[in-house]
């Protein structure tokens, strides 16, 4: 049950959000941050960053079933409506769109949106159908909210580049921007899934951001070490801490194409160094973007 709010308009149905959007004057700027709830400081950052650029900010809270695989954590995904509402109020959200699965995917639902290149490597390999679920739900949400601006976290960097590509390919009239990853004091990327970690696992998890920082340092000092060697050393370090990597890879940006790992980093190019792996049963992801300066600055908040 979603509690009500004095300051935030809560739209629970397709009709509610459509009526709200139609009530706005044509020139009104709408900013949008889609989430699955269980909000933390990472989500708050997206909402805070978007607020000054729009007349109205819209937050969606929807645990999207189509982006979860059959063996994934859909049913146990944290749902924390009360604290979500407090965070949303604190950062000055105007509207929350919180539909049910039945409304988003009624019986007989059969239409999906799929990006077919950038969604293939990394998480695409290990979570079949995940990005199809993400592009489908984000397309539907953009269609309903019709924002001029939509912010996404670079914590999910592949998701951000896939969604940017979808918006470009489908000529969506929205500016998609990425927001830098918000981290705990010790470097762990904030995630709704961090609550699954035991205190021992939480300690071990620090190794992920730590090794990514080390690779970034090698990049900044223009090290001549090959990408392959850097990745192998990082993977080794992670495994020693009891983390089982699914992937630790370096891809070129914005294409997410394979790079020649035998060579060292080149200053004129941009790279995504991305990690995914398990600590116990919890799957964590993190990444670092190298050479952001070679990407269009308007892609980032
Ligand atoms: P989620 O609810 O986990 O699907 O995330 C909703 C949005 O918040 C996505 O655009 C995420 O990339 C973003 N996000 C999640 N965690 C962080 C973080 N630690 N820093 C920045 N953005 C984040």
């Amino acid at each position: 049950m979603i509690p009500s709010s004095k300051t935030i308009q809560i739209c629970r149905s397709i009709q509610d959000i459509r009526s709200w959007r139609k009530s706005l004057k044509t020139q009104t700027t709408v900013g949008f941050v889609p989430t699955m709830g269980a909000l933390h400081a990472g989500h708050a950052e997206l909402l805070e960053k978007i607020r000054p650029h729009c007349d109205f900010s819209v937050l969606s809270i929807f645990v999207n079933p189509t982006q979860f695989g059959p063996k994934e954590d859909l049913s146990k995904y944290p749902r924390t409506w009360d604290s979500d509402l407090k965070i949303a109020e604190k950062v000055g959200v105007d509207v929350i769109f919180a539909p049910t699965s039945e409304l988003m995917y009624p019986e007989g639902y059969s239409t999906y949106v799929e990006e077919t290149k950038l969604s293939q490597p990394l998480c695409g390999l290990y979570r079949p159908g995940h990005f199809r679920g993400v592009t489908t739900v984000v397309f539907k949400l953009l269609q309903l909210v019709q924002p001029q601006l939509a912010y996404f976290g670079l914590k999910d960097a592949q998701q951000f580049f896939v969604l940017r590509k979808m918006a470009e390919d489908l000529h969506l009239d929205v500016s998609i921007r990425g927001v830098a990853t918000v981290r705990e004091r010790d470097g762990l990327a904030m995630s709704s899934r961090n609550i699954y970690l035991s205190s021992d696992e939480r300690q071990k998890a620090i190794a992920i951001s730590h090794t990514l920082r080390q690779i970034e340092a090698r990049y900044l000092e223009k090290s001549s070490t090959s990408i392959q060697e850097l990745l192998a050393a990082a993977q080794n370090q992670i495994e020693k801490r009891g983390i089982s990597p699914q992937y630790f890879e370096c891809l070129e940006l914005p294409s997410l194409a394979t790079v020649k790992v035998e060579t060292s980093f080149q200053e004129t190019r941009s790279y995504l160094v991305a990690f995914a792996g398990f600590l116990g049963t919890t799957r964590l992801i993190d990444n670092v973007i190298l050479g952001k300066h070679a990407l269009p600055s308007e892609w980032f908040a």
Side-chain angles (χ1 to χ4, degrees), residues 188-224:
L188 178 67
M190 287 195 183
S191 162
S192 307
R193 290 187 168 98
N194 290 351
I195 57 158
Y196 301 149
L197 298 172
S198 68
S199 58
D200 178 49
E201 289 168 345
R202 172 65 189 78
Q203 244 338 88
K204 289 177 172 162
I206 304 167
I208 301 167
S209 58
H210 193 76
T211 50
L212 288 165
R213 289 288 81 73
Q214 284 176 339
I215 292 181
E216 185 177 35
R218 294 292 95 74
Y219 168 83
L220 291 173
E221 70 197 28
K222 302 188 176 59
S223 158
S224 58

Side-chain angles (χ1 to χ4, degrees), residues 90-101:
K90 200 166 160 218
V91 298
V93 164
D94 298 292
V95 175
I96 296 178
F97 178 45
T100 58
S101 292

